[in-house]
Amino acid sequence: MPRPLLIENGTLLSPGGEVSVRRGQSVLIEDGLITRVAPRSRFARYTGQRLDAAGKVVVPGHINAHTHFYSTFARGLTRAKPARDFTGVLRHLWWRLDSALTAEDCYLSALVALLDAIRHGTTTLIDHHASPRAVGGSLDAIARAVEESGLRACLCYEVSDRNGAAIAREGLAENVRFIRRCQGGDVTRLQALFGLHASFTLSDATLTAATSLGHELQTGFHIHVAEAQSDQKAARRTSRMRVVERLVRFGILGERSIAAHCTHVSPREMDLLAETGTAVVHNPQSNLNNAVGIANVLELKRRGVLVGLGTDAMTNNLLEEVRVALWAQHLARRNPSAGFAEITGALFSGNAEIAGRIFGLRFGEIRAGCVGDVAIYDYDPPTPFESGNALGHVVFGLSQATVDSTIVGGRVLMRNRRLARDLDEARVNARAREHAKTLWQRF
Ligand SMILES: [Zn+2]
């Protein structure tokens, strides 16, 4: 456990639950948790480690509820043929890229993404991993990067039949092995879900095997759901069911499970997601980029679904993602006021609840009992900044500001925009460039 840390004299913005802005406050983090929040004067006798937050805004560390670390190596890759639809995006880019990954590539791509997350105040990440030519041990390689970074992460291996039965079996085994490893470790730092690619690349036999293993381990699943209309077409063709109905039939959904995207789900499927307590994670930048559509977050929320926000590896800056999520709802609903509460709620309350279910801790607020994970922004508001308008400042102001410091469980991972001494970003990037070069040759 890191030493106690006192974050002094900051402006605290607690965006989950009841939104609040409090000035001149200090936050004490001990044994990984916030233990006391009070005006600075109350800590006069404190003699431990301090971090000055005067003139800065302190918010709970951001949570990325769906991402893919291995996407790091797609940046600047020009060898993929342009795609005409979502299946083309997968076939021309992602399935070729993940097939070229080695275990060392998995480690490095994760570490690059994690250091970038620290720069953007993102402290908890839920990853979905595929490397079909290096399945066994790939989650250990990523876990090594997570442990080095000091962040919290939940990992999984995406089981799929797209590379044949043998690799599907390896994927099942990798999930089982890694879930067991996490259950015996520090479950507040490193966690696992049972990863599945998507309904359209999973046979009934593989789903049956995954369900029985997952239920035995008492874990949830992390799966892409109806990201594009093609997933629905495949489900209708092979099983005469909608995607969510098929996953319910196999026992994949539930309170521990994450359904990423849900861009194309019917009202009946939304009700099933609500009834099973499944978390839906919305990834608007990715959906817009892939031209697959815009999930109806308002209707999902109206029907009682828990909705969170992820980036699908488009960024590690959750405040960039929340802006795009808003603009996308405005355009989709043809209403420039649509969805403010639902979208900001997905990022701050939804993600906090999803992370809470996974790590068994309280996230999303700056108060005693919550995790000691915070992002500290350089932000000097040019207009009144109060509890009643704080979320407007988040979307239009804080999202454009720079993160000054990032703290996880009381450990300072970045201070004054400098990463902790043991995180050598330049060296990691240089090694990643070398690996990217040879990976691109194999692509
Ligand atoms: Zn994804």
Side-chain angles (χ1 to χ4, degrees):
M1 275 293 173
R3 290 179 293 150
L5 173 71
L6 185 68
I7 301 166
E8 285 190 296
N9 205 19
T11 297
L12 309 188
L13 165 56
S14 202
E18 191 95 336
V19 180
S20 71
V21 172
R22 289 167 290 168
R23 292 189 169 74
Q25 300 286 308
S26 294
V27 180
L28 181 62
I29 303 173
E30 296 172 298
D31 294 333
L33 299 177
I34 296 173
T35 52
R36 194 164 175 226
V37 179
R40 185 190 192 184
S41 56
R42 306 269 181 85
F43 295 94
R45 289 188 192 168
Y46 177 82
T47 55
Q49 190 190 191
R50 295 161 184 267
L51 191 148
D52 181 19
K56 301 186 198 305
V57 175
V58 182
V59 303
H62 302 297
I63 297 161
N64 189 349
H66 177 76
T67 191
H68 303 272
F69 296 148
Y70 70 81
S71 294
T72 295
F73 286 138
R75 200 185 299 177
L77 175 67
T78 53
R79 290 182 176 207
K81 212 166 64 177
R84 302 177 67 91
D85 56 21
F86 179 61
T87 314
V89 172
L90 296 176
R91 287 187 192 284
H92 299 175
L93 175 60
W94 298 114
W95 291 355
R96 289 180 63 194
L97 181 82
D98 66 22
S99 289
L101 292 166
T102 63
E104 188 66 7
D105 293 334
C106 298
Y107 162 76
L108 274 173
S109 55
L111 195 52
V112 169
L114 290 158
L115 297 188
D116 190 52
I118 296 173
R119 288 233 171 260
H120 292 99
T122 300
T123 49
T124 298
L125 301 101
I126 303 176
D127 189 68
H128 200 278
H129 175 69
S131 52
R133 309 287 162 217
V135 181
S138 58
L139 296 179
D140 288 337
I142 298 170
R144 182 155 59 93
V146 171
E147 284 163 349
E148 285 175 23
S149 74
L151 295 169
R152 289 180 215 275
C154 174
L155 311 181
C156 74
Y157 187 88
E158 68 157 64
V159 174
S160 170
D161 288 304
R162 67 179 152 97
N163 298 104
I167 290 175
R169 276 196 300 276
E170 279 184 53
L172 292 166
E174 179 65 358
N175 279 298
V176 170
R177 190 191 61 74
F178 189 73
I179 290 164
R180 287 213 179 103
R181 173 192 152 171
C182 289
Q183 287 174 343
D186 182 354
V187 293
T188 66
R189 287 299 182 130
L190 185 63
Q191 267 289 10
L193 287 170
F194 204 112
L196 296 168
H197 174 241
S199 172
F200 72 99
T201 71
L202 288 159
S203 66
D204 286 0
T206 303
L207 279 176
T208 305
T211 307
S212 97
L213 292 167
H215 289 186
E216 202 178 303
L217 292 160
Q218 296 185 310
T219 186
F221 297 87
H222 185 180
I223 179 169
H224 297 100
V225 174
E227 181 170 357
Q229 203 52 273
S230 50
D231 199 12
Q232 292 291 3
K233 276 192 197 142
R236 198 181 318 138
R237 197 172 55 238
T238 56
S239 65
R240 297 217 187 92
M241 273 182 266
R242 300 280 296 178
V243 171
V244 173
E245 290 169 341
R246 182 169 184 240
L247 297 177
V248 168
R249 172 102 27 125
F250 280 95
I252 298 297
L253 301 183
E255 280 193 7
R256 293 162 184 259
S257 292
I258 292 177
H261 301 294
C262 295
T263 320
H264 297 279
V265 288
S266 65
R268 158 96 186 121
E269 287 177 291
M270 293 184 188
D271 289 342
L272 284 170
L273 290 162
E275 282 163 27
T276 53
T278 309
V280 167
V281 177
H282 178 45
N283 303 272
Q285 295 207 71
S286 162
N287 298 154
L288 292 164
N289 182 46
N290 291 333
V292 292
I294 299 164
N296 193 342
V297 175
L298 277 64
E299 191 60 19
L300 283 161
K301 291 291 290 178
R302 207 179 64 76
R303 288 176 184 265
V305 179
L306 170 62
V307 180
L309 193 71
T311 70
D312 212 11
M314 295 289 284
T315 178
N316 289 301
N317 181 352
L318 270 297
L319 297 189
E320 177 189 308
E321 194 72 30
V322 82
R323 278 163 66 93
V324 176
L326 270 172
W327 320 152
Q329 290 301 316
H330 293 175
L331 185 63
R333 311 276 91 77
R334 297 284 192 276
N335 173 359
S337 306
F340 189 84
E342 290 85 351
I343 293 294
T344 54
L347 174 59
F348 295 117
S349 306
N351 281 5
E353 188 169 343
I354 292 168
R357 287 177 177 186
I358 292 173
F359 294 94
L361 296 167
R362 274 162 49 200
F363 290 82
E365 291 176 78
I366 308 272
R367 67 182 170 91
C370 289
V371 289
D373 299 3
V374 303
I376 304 178
Y377 283 83
D378 277 321
Y379 183 60
D380 186 13
T383 55
F385 176 39
E386 315 289 349
S387 300
N389 70 1
L391 293 178
H393 276 272
V394 167
V395 172
F396 294 97
L398 214 59
S399 64
Q400 310 304 298
T402 309
V403 177
D404 174 87
S405 301
T406 301
I407 291 150
V408 174
R411 186 172 154 214
V412 182
L413 303 181
M414 181 171 76
R415 186 192 286 247
N416 300 330
R417 306 185 193 182
R418 277 218 153 110
L419 294 184
R421 218 172 296 137
D422 53 341
L423 303 173
D424 190 343
E425 199 177 24
R427 211 182 119 240
V428 171
N429 285 338
R431 273 187 71 199
R433 276 194 297 277
E434 287 301 312
H435 277 253
K437 214 192 287 174
T438 54
L439 185 147
W440 288 1
Q441 283 160 5
R442 293 193 301 276
F443 180 84

